Amino acid sequence: MDSAAKDEMQPELSPGPEWPEQERAEQLARGAALKWASGIFYRPEQLARLGQYRSREVQRTCSLEARLKSVVQSYLEGVQTGVWQLARAIEAVQGTREALSQARGLLQGMSQALRTLEPLRERVAQYKQLQALSHLLPRLRAVPAAVAHTQTLIDAQQFLEAYVSLRELEQLREDMWAPLGGLELPVFQGLDLLFEALGQAVEAAAGAAGKLAREDPALLVAAVRVAEVETGRTTPLGQVPRDWRQRCLRALQEGLEQTHFGSPLLPAPGALPGWLEALRVALPVELATAEALVAPCCPPQYNVVQLWAHTLHSGLRRSLQHLLAGPELEAADAFALLHWALHVYLGQEMMGSLELGPEADVSQLEPLLTLENIEQLEATFVANVQASVSQWLQNALDGEVAEWGREQGPNTDPSGSYYSPMPAIVLQILEENIRVASLVSESLQQRVHGMALSELGIFLRSFSDALIRFSRDHLRGKAMAPHYVPYLLAALNHQSALSSSVSVLQLDGAPSGALAPVEAALDKLQRRICRLVLEALQAELQPLFADLPSRQWLSSPELLESVCERTGRFCRDFGRVRNPTVQLLLAEAERAVVLQYLRALMQGRLVCRGADERTQAAERLRHDAAQLQQLFLGLGLQENAQCAPVLLALRELLNLRDPALLGLEVAGLQQQFPDVRCGRGSRREEKPEGRENGADTPPWCPGSEDHVSALLGLRGDLSREQQLVALSSLQAALPPSPRASRRALFSLVPAPAPAPASCLPSGSCARALLLSE
């Protein structure tokens, strides 16, 4: 293309509108130039170079204008080239559009031609199908008979033959699939149902594997072989694989669980031990059958023995969980389940049998009972046993209490001691429950042991309360007991029997103080029974001591003889109490008599009128002490345990002729009987200043001279000053001898109230009293 033509193609550029900011730009440029010129030519000497500056700026301006022209010319040339290319593109697009219109017309003509050929194509396909059917028609005619024959084989449990027939039918269907173009013939519509029927028959045979292994192992082998062959077969594209191996294994598990744990009914109360015993016999037999008969009928990868063991274990575990989620078990059922699950199940009688192979080991499986299950069963067992034990002990106590009011005395054993089977029953009940619990676990044994000790403590408190009611009703006359004291003594024998045998409840390895609360309760019960017996003795003796001491007592021994006679008659049955309790009871009885004697002396009913009466009273004390000693020696009390010698010490206070030596006698009395320093009825006050209680200093008790004052008052020959001098020996007395009797005597005897001005002579009160006299 020449330049003329090119120029003709280029569009003519018309001048554009004036730049709106041109005028402002020129003004800014002029201002900037003026500012620059004013700065350059500010000094006159610079005006000489004005021409140089002018020529330089002219050159710069020309250069800028040339560059601007070049840029604008280049831009205009690029625009002209682009416009020319756009024109060429428009011409190409128009040509393409015309070509596409022509192609569209050709395609429409071809589609019309294809529609005319479609019937011909269908005819060709039908021809091919008819041709294939004509070749396979003899085989297709035999399909209904083959289907019926296969169904007959399935019903006859001829699994291998039925499977071969089904595979032939399925192969025929696959062979006709491609020639018929995927057409499903009605003659093959029941083939899938027939396969499913065979699969169900194989499952049924696997579910009865244990029975078939004993009766018809060939049938079990055939079912397993069919399942294995079908599982290993490659299925055609688009067909769902038939995993008959898993169905067979699942059927094995479900059949086994249904056989042993399929009943939805839980064992009735009391029937659980029988159910567990039946499982104990059946499960090892089932495992032995699996190992000896079923395993040879199945491939090695089935791991039949392990599958059997795991299935039985899982089914049993689910059954037990379902059982525990139901109503609470009774004590016998809870015990049977605990013992069976913890000892029998894994023992040699069952899953740990030496006749079973190592594959049957279930020790690595999860426990048959969880810790929560064991806790629940132990709590249930302990609660039920506690209720039963409580009822048994209450019945034993009620039976014992019912005998207390009968006309006949307590029963005796061959040795003549009062006897009742109640203590043996109580301990036997508790010991037997602890022993039974030890057969399950140590934790259950400890729980039952704690429960047994708790119930024994409750029983002892109930027994003690029953004795108190028995005594109260008897003393108040509500229910007079003909043999009140003998039954109290029998109760003392019961306490002694329990104390001597309670050690059977001590667990091996348990702390030595575990029985301390029970032993403390037994000691408390013994003291309470002794107190009731002594109260009965005091009630009989109290009228006899009303006239003692008196003038009649000085001249006649009949008063104390009556006391000894009644005491001997009362203590006659003490011989039926077993040792060492009889010694304790005799000692307490002897002390009770001596205390009654001391109370009578402390009342101040008798004051000797002279030396003869003092001698007579001293002789009476000696005679009475000897008579009491002889009485209790005859009853069997040891001499060193008697309190009657205190009367001999009091005799010395009366028999002393020199009053100046009374201080020594009083100090000697305090050495032998330290509690003579404090009367029970004394009013405590603040101790004097400078007086401290030490280890060897008896506690300070104002009025502690009340007993001694009352005893000194029997003499009748001492002035107030002489009594105070004698009493001052209590203040300066040496500490009591370690060999002195520590049994309480004077502290249990209420002394007469002290005189208002009475105090020890070491203070200002004593000095004032002496001056006033």
Side-chain angles (χ1 to χ4, degrees):
M1 184 179 294
D2 54 1
S3 60
K6 186 176 181 180
D7 292 339
E8 291 178 358
M9 294 296 297
Q10 290 181 352
E12 183 179 357
L13 297 177
S14 60
E18 185 179 0
W19 185 26
E21 299 294 331
Q22 182 177 359
E23 182 177 356
R24 179 171 177 79
E26 289 180 356
Q27 292 176 358
L28 292 176
R30 290 178 183 277
L34 290 174
K35 184 177 180 181
W36 173 79
S38 63
I40 292 297
F41 303 107
Y42 179 73
R43 289 180 293 179
E45 60 270 16
Q46 292 180 341
L47 293 175
R49 293 187 292 177
L50 180 59
Q52 297 177 1
Y53 283 112
R54 180 180 296 172
S55 60
R56 188 190 309 170
E57 291 301 322
V58 169
Q59 292 177 358
R60 183 181 298 174
T61 301
C62 293
S63 176
L64 289 175
E65 289 177 353
R67 292 171 62 185
L68 287 174
K69 288 179 180 181
S70 176
V71 170
V72 171
Q73 184 65 32
S74 177
Y75 174 75
L76 290 176
E77 290 177 355
V79 171
Q80 289 177 354
T81 303
V83 170
W84 179 78
Q85 290 177 350
L86 287 174
R88 300 282 78 77
I90 290 173
E91 293 178 358
V93 168
Q94 290 176 351
T96 303
R97 183 182 298 173
E98 293 175 358
L100 288 175
S101 298
Q102 295 175 0
R104 184 181 299 170
L106 293 175
L107 288 175
Q108 290 177 353
M110 292 178 66
S111 63
Q112 292 176 358
L114 287 175
R115 282 195 296 270
T116 58
L117 294 176
E118 187 66 29
L120 181 59
R121 181 181 298 172
E122 293 178 359
R123 294 295 181 181
V124 172
Q126 291 176 359
Y127 176 77
K128 291 181 178 180
Q129 292 177 358
L130 290 174
Q131 187 179 13
L133 286 173
S134 64
H135 290 292
L136 298 173
L137 187 58
R139 297 174 62 185
L140 289 176
R141 288 177 179 176
V143 167
V147 169
H149 178 65
T150 303
Q151 183 65 52
T152 303
L153 293 176
I154 294 174
D155 295 339
Q157 294 186 336
Q158 298 180 14
F159 298 140
L160 292 176
E161 295 81 354
Y163 182 71
V164 171
S165 178
L166 279 175
R167 287 291 298 117
E168 291 176 352
L169 291 173
E170 190 175 38
Q171 185 64 42
L172 177 60
R173 184 174 63 177
E174 292 176 1
D175 293 341
M176 298 187 66
W177 182 268
L180 296 179
L183 178 64
E184 181 71 28
L185 296 177
V187 73
F188 293 111
Q189 289 181 353
L191 192 59
D192 291 335
L193 297 178
L194 207 58
F195 261 104
E196 183 61 26
L198 179 59
Q200 292 178 359
V202 169
E203 279 188 292
K211 180 180 179 182
L212 290 179
R214 290 188 293 269
E215 299 177 358
D216 191 1
L219 181 60
L220 177 60
V221 172
V224 173
R225 287 184 62 187
V226 168
E228 285 296 305
V229 171
E230 181 61 22
T231 300
R233 185 173 66 89
T234 302
T235 56
L237 184 63
Q239 185 176 350
V240 179
R242 301 188 187 99
D243 193 357
W244 283 10
R245 177 187 296 169
Q246 293 301 322
R247 292 180 62 177
C248 191
L249 292 175
R250 187 164 55 249
L252 286 172
Q253 295 175 340
E254 292 176 355
L256 192 59
E257 290 185 2
Q258 185 66 26
T259 301
H260 296 282
F261 313 110
S263 177
L265 298 178
L266 297 176
L272 182 59
W275 183 66
L276 295 175
E277 177 61 22
L279 289 178
R280 185 193 68 80
V281 176
L283 297 188
V285 172
E286 191 70 50
L287 286 175
T289 301
E291 186 174 11
L293 300 178
V294 180
C297 299
C298 299
Q301 61 268 24
Y302 274 43
N303 294 323
V304 171
V305 179
Q306 184 178 4
L307 176 67
W308 242 246
H310 288 210
T311 302
L312 292 173
H313 180 83
S314 300
L316 177 59
R317 192 171 188 272
R318 281 194 297 271
S319 297
L320 293 183
Q321 295 298 326
H322 184 59
L323 178 67
L324 294 177
E328 187 176 272
L329 300 179
E330 297 180 353
D333 290 344
F335 174 81
L337 181 54
L338 279 171
H339 183 265
W340 191 87
L342 298 179
H343 299 282
V344 177
Y345 180 67
L346 296 179
Q348 294 185 357
E349 298 181 0
M350 201 170 174
M351 306 305 287
S353 175
L354 299 177
E355 298 178 357
L356 299 176
E359 297 178 356
D361 183 20
V362 295
S363 59
Q364 301 301 323
L365 297 177
E366 55 185 344
L368 196 61
L369 296 176
T370 64
L371 294 178
E372 292 77 7
N373 297 147
I374 295 175
E375 175 72 18
Q376 175 187 350
L377 288 172
E378 287 186 354
T380 299
F381 177 76
V382 173
N384 291 338
V385 169
Q386 184 173 12
S388 300
V389 168
S390 177
Q391 187 62 40
W392 291 337
L393 296 182
Q394 186 62 42
N395 293 339
L397 179 59
D398 293 342
E400 186 69 21
V401 172
E403 294 184 356
W404 291 348
R406 65 179 186 174
E407 296 294 332
Q408 183 181 357
N411 297 326
T412 57
D413 59 11
S415 65
S417 300
Y418 290 134
Y419 168 77
S420 171
M422 184 192 68
I425 292 175
V426 169
L427 292 177
Q428 182 179 2
I429 289 173
L430 300 179
E431 182 185 7
E432 183 65 19
N433 281 283
I434 295 173
R435 186 193 64 79
V436 169
S438 67
L439 300 177
V440 174
S441 64
E442 184 178 354
S443 64
L444 183 61
Q445 183 185 24
Q446 292 176 353
R447 283 186 174 210
V448 174
H449 180 259
M451 178 275 296
L453 296 184
S454 174
E455 287 299 320
L456 181 56
I458 295 173
F459 171 78
L460 293 177
R461 289 193 294 272
S462 300
F463 188 57
S464 179
D465 295 340
L467 284 172
I468 292 177
R469 290 192 299 271
F470 173 60
S471 176
R472 183 176 64 245
D473 294 343
H474 173 76
L475 296 178
R476 293 179 180 177
K478 292 183 179 180
M480 296 296 294
H483 300 277
Y484 172 67
V485 174
Y487 276 107
L488 289 180
L489 299 178
L492 203 57
N493 271 351
H494 302 342
Q495 182 275 336
S496 178
L498 288 172
S499 297
S500 61
S501 303
V502 73
S503 59
V504 300
L505 302 181
Q506 178 72 25
L507 292 179
D508 295 337
S512 58
L515 299 179
V518 175
E519 294 172 348
L522 287 170
D523 292 340
K524 183 178 180 180
L525 177 62
Q526 183 188 58
R527 293 193 300 270
R528 178 163 290 179
I529 298 173
C530 289
R531 189 190 69 195
L532 295 177
V533 173
L534 296 179
E535 286 176 355
L537 176 60
Q538 291 172 0
E540 289 199 18
L541 298 181
Q542 192 170 4
L544 300 179
F545 281 99
D547 298 330
L548 191 152
S550 62
R551 303 296 169 187
Q552 182 184 359
W553 168 71
L554 288 176
S555 59
S556 174
E558 294 179 358
L559 291 179
L560 193 67
E561 288 177 356
S562 299
V563 170
C564 292
E565 179 183 356
R566 187 166 297 184
T567 302
R569 187 168 59 250
F570 185 91
C571 298
R572 178 183 55 195
D573 292 333
F574 283 10
R576 299 184 182 274
V577 179
R578 297 187 182 92
N579 279 321
T581 309
V582 63
Q583 288 294 319
L584 173 64
L585 190 59
L586 286 172
E588 293 298 324
E590 191 260 354
R591 184 172 69 155
V593 174
V594 173
L595 288 175
Q596 289 278 26
Y597 198 104
L598 292 178
R599 284 192 188 95
L601 291 179
M602 296 296 172
Q603 298 304 314
R605 293 192 293 263
L606 176 66
V607 177
C608 297
R609 300 172 180 173
D612 293 339
E613 285 192 358
R614 284 194 297 276
T615 302
Q616 191 175 5
E619 183 61 23
R620 176 55 54 206
L621 287 174
R622 184 193 65 77
H623 183 273
D624 291 349
Q627 197 168 356
L628 288 175
Q629 284 181 308
Q630 187 64 29
L631 168 66
F632 283 97
L633 282 175
L635 292 173
L637 179 63
Q638 298 176 2
E639 186 175 1
N640 58 359
Q642 295 186 9
C643 298
V646 70
L647 302 182
L648 299 179
L650 300 182
R651 169 181 174 274
E652 297 299 328
L653 289 177
L654 295 177
N655 204 27
L656 188 65
R657 298 184 180 277
D658 187 358
L661 299 178
L662 282 175
L664 295 177
E665 288 297 333
V666 170
L669 179 65
Q670 191 270 339
Q671 282 285 319
Q672 296 183 45
F673 304 98
D675 63 334
V676 76
R677 290 184 56 83
C678 193
R680 183 166 57 174
S682 300
R683 178 177 56 86
R684 288 193 173 274
E685 300 174 355
E686 294 182 1
K687 60 186 179 181
E689 294 181 5
R691 182 80 174 182
E692 299 293 339
N693 289 339
D696 299 326
T697 305
W700 177 261
C701 186
S704 61
E705 74 279 5
D706 294 343
H707 293 113
V708 181
S709 297
L711 294 174
L712 293 178
L714 289 174
R715 293 178 56 90
D717 63 338
L718 299 177
S719 64
R720 182 63 176 170
E721 181 180 359
Q722 289 175 323
Q723 289 189 25
L724 291 175
V725 171
L727 292 173
S728 65
S729 61
L730 293 177
Q731 191 75 312
L734 295 175
S737 172
R739 293 175 295 179
S741 175
R742 294 296 176 180
R743 298 183 66 192
L745 284 175
F746 290 95
S747 60
L748 300 177
V749 178
S758 176
C759 66
L760 289 179
S762 59
S764 58
C765 176
R767 290 193 296 270
L769 178 61
L770 292 175
L771 291 175
S772 64
E773 292 181 352

PDB file of all heavy atoms in Angstrom, residues 720-721 724 757 761 763-773:
ATOM      1  N   ARG A 720     -12.625 -28.881 169.492  1.00  0.00           N
ATOM      2  CA  ARG A 720     -12.485 -28.367 168.131  1.00  0.00           C
ATOM      3  C   ARG A 720     -11.027 -28.127 167.791  1.00  0.00           C
ATOM      4  O   ARG A 720     -10.591 -28.402 166.669  1.00  0.00           O
ATOM      5  CB  ARG A 720     -13.292 -27.065 168.010  1.00  0.00           C
ATOM      6  CG  ARG A 720     -13.262 -26.443 166.631  1.00  0.00           C
ATOM      7  CD  ARG A 720     -13.891 -27.356 165.631  1.00  0.00           C
ATOM      8  NE  ARG A 720     -13.955 -26.752 164.310  1.00  0.00           N
ATOM      9  CZ  ARG A 720     -14.291 -27.396 163.206  1.00  0.00           C
ATOM     10  NH1 ARG A 720     -14.563 -28.703 163.266  1.00  0.00           N
ATOM     11  NH2 ARG A 720     -14.338 -26.768 162.056  1.00  0.00           N
ATOM     12  N   GLU A 721     -10.268 -27.621 168.738  1.00  0.00           N
ATOM     13  CA  GLU A 721      -8.853 -27.354 168.489  1.00  0.00           C
ATOM     14  C   GLU A 721      -8.091 -28.650 168.233  1.00  0.00           C
ATOM     15  O   GLU A 721      -7.247 -28.714 167.334  1.00  0.00           O
ATOM     16  CB  GLU A 721      -8.259 -26.632 169.704  1.00  0.00           C
ATOM     17  CG  GLU A 721      -6.774 -26.295 169.523  1.00  0.00           C
ATOM     18  CD  GLU A 721      -6.206 -25.570 170.740  1.00  0.00           C
ATOM     19  OE1 GLU A 721      -6.965 -25.328 171.694  1.00  0.00           O
ATOM     20  OE2 GLU A 721      -5.015 -25.273 170.709  1.00  0.00           O
ATOM     21  N   LEU A 724      -8.799 -29.782 164.735  1.00  0.00           N
ATOM     22  CA  LEU A 724      -8.104 -29.006 163.713  1.00  0.00           C
ATOM     23  C   LEU A 724      -6.622 -29.355 163.668  1.00  0.00           C
ATOM     24  O   LEU A 724      -6.012 -29.395 162.595  1.00  0.00           O
ATOM     25  CB  LEU A 724      -8.291 -27.519 163.977  1.00  0.00           C
ATOM     26  CG  LEU A 724      -9.718 -26.971 163.772  1.00  0.00           C
ATOM     27  CD1 LEU A 724      -9.790 -25.517 164.172  1.00  0.00           C
ATOM     28  CD2 LEU A 724     -10.130 -27.145 162.322  1.00  0.00           C
ATOM     29  N   ALA A 757     -17.610 -22.433 159.895  1.00  0.00           N
ATOM     30  CA  ALA A 757     -16.294 -21.843 160.143  1.00  0.00           C
ATOM     31  C   ALA A 757     -15.171 -22.827 159.916  1.00  0.00           C
ATOM     32  O   ALA A 757     -14.048 -22.560 160.310  1.00  0.00           O
ATOM     33  CB  ALA A 757     -16.223 -21.294 161.558  1.00  0.00           C
ATOM     34  N   PRO A 761      -6.067 -25.193 159.301  1.00  0.00           N
ATOM     35  CA  PRO A 761      -5.457 -24.227 160.214  1.00  0.00           C
ATOM     36  C   PRO A 761      -4.248 -23.512 159.653  1.00  0.00           C
ATOM     37  O   PRO A 761      -3.466 -22.986 160.418  1.00  0.00           O
ATOM     38  CB  PRO A 761      -5.054 -25.113 161.391  1.00  0.00           C
ATOM     39  CG  PRO A 761      -4.808 -26.447 160.792  1.00  0.00           C
ATOM     40  CD  PRO A 761      -5.796 -26.594 159.701  1.00  0.00           C
ATOM     41  N   GLY A 763      -4.451 -21.002 157.387  1.00  0.00           N
ATOM     42  CA  GLY A 763      -4.813 -19.679 156.904  1.00  0.00           C
ATOM     43  C   GLY A 763      -5.293 -18.785 158.019  1.00  0.00           C
ATOM     44  O   GLY A 763      -5.349 -19.143 159.201  1.00  0.00           O
ATOM     45  N   SER A 764      -5.667 -17.567 157.626  1.00  0.00           N
ATOM     46  CA  SER A 764      -6.135 -16.586 158.616  1.00  0.00           C
ATOM     47  C   SER A 764      -7.435 -17.008 159.247  1.00  0.00           C
ATOM     48  O   SER A 764      -7.721 -16.686 160.407  1.00  0.00           O
ATOM     49  CB  SER A 764      -6.306 -15.225 157.931  1.00  0.00           C
ATOM     50  OG  SER A 764      -7.225 -15.338 156.844  1.00  0.00           O
ATOM     51  N   CYS A 765      -8.267 -17.787 158.508  1.00  0.00           N
ATOM     52  CA  CYS A 765      -9.536 -18.263 159.060  1.00  0.00           C
ATOM     53  C   CYS A 765      -9.291 -19.146 160.270  1.00  0.00           C
ATOM     54  O   CYS A 765      -9.977 -19.060 161.278  1.00  0.00           O
ATOM     55  CB  CYS A 765     -10.313 -19.009 157.984  1.00  0.00           C
ATOM     56  SG  CYS A 765     -11.859 -19.747 158.567  1.00  0.00           S
ATOM     57  N   ALA A 766      -8.279 -20.026 160.173  1.00  0.00           N
ATOM     58  CA  ALA A 766      -7.964 -20.926 161.291  1.00  0.00           C
ATOM     59  C   ALA A 766      -7.471 -20.137 162.490  1.00  0.00           C
ATOM     60  O   ALA A 766      -7.857 -20.412 163.636  1.00  0.00           O
ATOM     61  CB  ALA A 766      -6.915 -21.941 160.854  1.00  0.00           C
ATOM     62  N   ARG A 767      -6.639 -19.169 162.250  1.00  0.00           N
ATOM     63  CA  ARG A 767      -6.134 -18.381 163.382  1.00  0.00           C
ATOM     64  C   ARG A 767      -7.261 -17.625 164.054  1.00  0.00           C
ATOM     65  O   ARG A 767      -7.321 -17.543 165.284  1.00  0.00           O
ATOM     66  CB  ARG A 767      -5.063 -17.400 162.884  1.00  0.00           C
ATOM     67  CG  ARG A 767      -3.767 -18.106 162.469  1.00  0.00           C
ATOM     68  CD  ARG A 767      -2.636 -17.092 162.285  1.00  0.00           C
ATOM     69  NE  ARG A 767      -2.914 -16.169 161.205  1.00  0.00           N
ATOM     70  CZ  ARG A 767      -2.552 -16.393 159.949  1.00  0.00           C
ATOM     71  NH1 ARG A 767      -1.913 -17.512 159.643  1.00  0.00           N
ATOM     72  NH2 ARG A 767      -2.829 -15.510 159.013  1.00  0.00           N
ATOM     73  N   ALA A 768      -8.179 -17.115 163.297  1.00  0.00           N
ATOM     74  CA  ALA A 768      -9.315 -16.401 163.902  1.00  0.00           C
ATOM     75  C   ALA A 768     -10.161 -17.352 164.725  1.00  0.00           C
ATOM     76  O   ALA A 768     -10.672 -16.986 165.787  1.00  0.00           O
ATOM     77  CB  ALA A 768     -10.157 -15.745 162.814  1.00  0.00           C
ATOM     78  N   LEU A 769     -10.340 -18.601 164.222  1.00  0.00           N
ATOM     79  CA  LEU A 769     -11.129 -19.569 164.960  1.00  0.00           C
ATOM     80  C   LEU A 769     -10.462 -19.928 166.280  1.00  0.00           C
ATOM     81  O   LEU A 769     -11.113 -20.013 167.328  1.00  0.00           O
ATOM     82  CB  LEU A 769     -11.324 -20.824 164.095  1.00  0.00           C
ATOM     83  CG  LEU A 769     -12.108 -21.958 164.745  1.00  0.00           C
ATOM     84  CD1 LEU A 769     -13.526 -21.487 165.104  1.00  0.00           C
ATOM     85  CD2 LEU A 769     -12.172 -23.167 163.814  1.00  0.00           C
ATOM     86  N   LEU A 770      -9.140 -20.116 166.291  1.00  0.00           N
ATOM     87  CA  LEU A 770      -8.433 -20.456 167.527  1.00  0.00           C
ATOM     88  C   LEU A 770      -8.516 -19.321 168.537  1.00  0.00           C
ATOM     89  O   LEU A 770      -8.682 -19.545 169.743  1.00  0.00           O
ATOM     90  CB  LEU A 770      -6.974 -20.789 167.213  1.00  0.00           C
ATOM     91  CG  LEU A 770      -6.750 -22.100 166.410  1.00  0.00           C
ATOM     92  CD1 LEU A 770      -5.273 -22.233 166.065  1.00  0.00           C
ATOM     93  CD2 LEU A 770      -7.234 -23.292 167.206  1.00  0.00           C
ATOM     94  N   LEU A 771      -8.382 -18.069 168.074  1.00  0.00           N
ATOM     95  CA  LEU A 771      -8.476 -16.933 168.985  1.00  0.00           C
ATOM     96  C   LEU A 771      -9.863 -16.826 169.579  1.00  0.00           C
ATOM     97  O   LEU A 771     -10.022 -16.486 170.766  1.00  0.00           O
ATOM     98  CB  LEU A 771      -8.108 -15.637 168.245  1.00  0.00           C
ATOM     99  CG  LEU A 771      -6.628 -15.516 167.843  1.00  0.00           C
ATOM    100  CD1 LEU A 771      -6.424 -14.248 167.017  1.00  0.00           C
ATOM    101  CD2 LEU A 771      -5.734 -15.483 169.084  1.00  0.00           C
ATOM    102  N   SER A 772     -10.869 -17.124 168.767  1.00  0.00           N
ATOM    103  CA  SER A 772     -12.236 -17.004 169.281  1.00  0.00           C
ATOM    104  C   SER A 772     -12.526 -18.055 170.321  1.00  0.00           C
ATOM    105  O   SER A 772     -13.307 -17.843 171.239  1.00  0.00           O
ATOM    106  CB  SER A 772     -13.238 -17.121 168.142  1.00  0.00           C
ATOM    107  OG  SER A 772     -13.152 -18.425 167.553  1.00  0.00           O
ATOM    108  N   GLU A 773     -11.903 -19.241 170.198  1.00  0.00           N
ATOM    109  CA  GLU A 773     -12.126 -20.276 171.192  1.00  0.00           C
ATOM    110  C   GLU A 773     -11.332 -20.015 172.471  1.00  0.00           C
ATOM    111  O   GLU A 773     -11.627 -20.592 173.501  1.00  0.00           O
ATOM    112  CB  GLU A 773     -11.755 -21.639 170.620  1.00  0.00           C
ATOM    113  CG  GLU A 773     -12.703 -22.100 169.499  1.00  0.00           C
ATOM    114  CD  GLU A 773     -12.340 -23.452 168.981  1.00  0.00           C
ATOM    115  OE1 GLU A 773     -11.284 -23.966 169.367  1.00  0.00           O
ATOM    116  OE2 GLU A 773     -13.125 -24.026 168.172  1.00  0.00           O
TER     117      GLU A 773
END
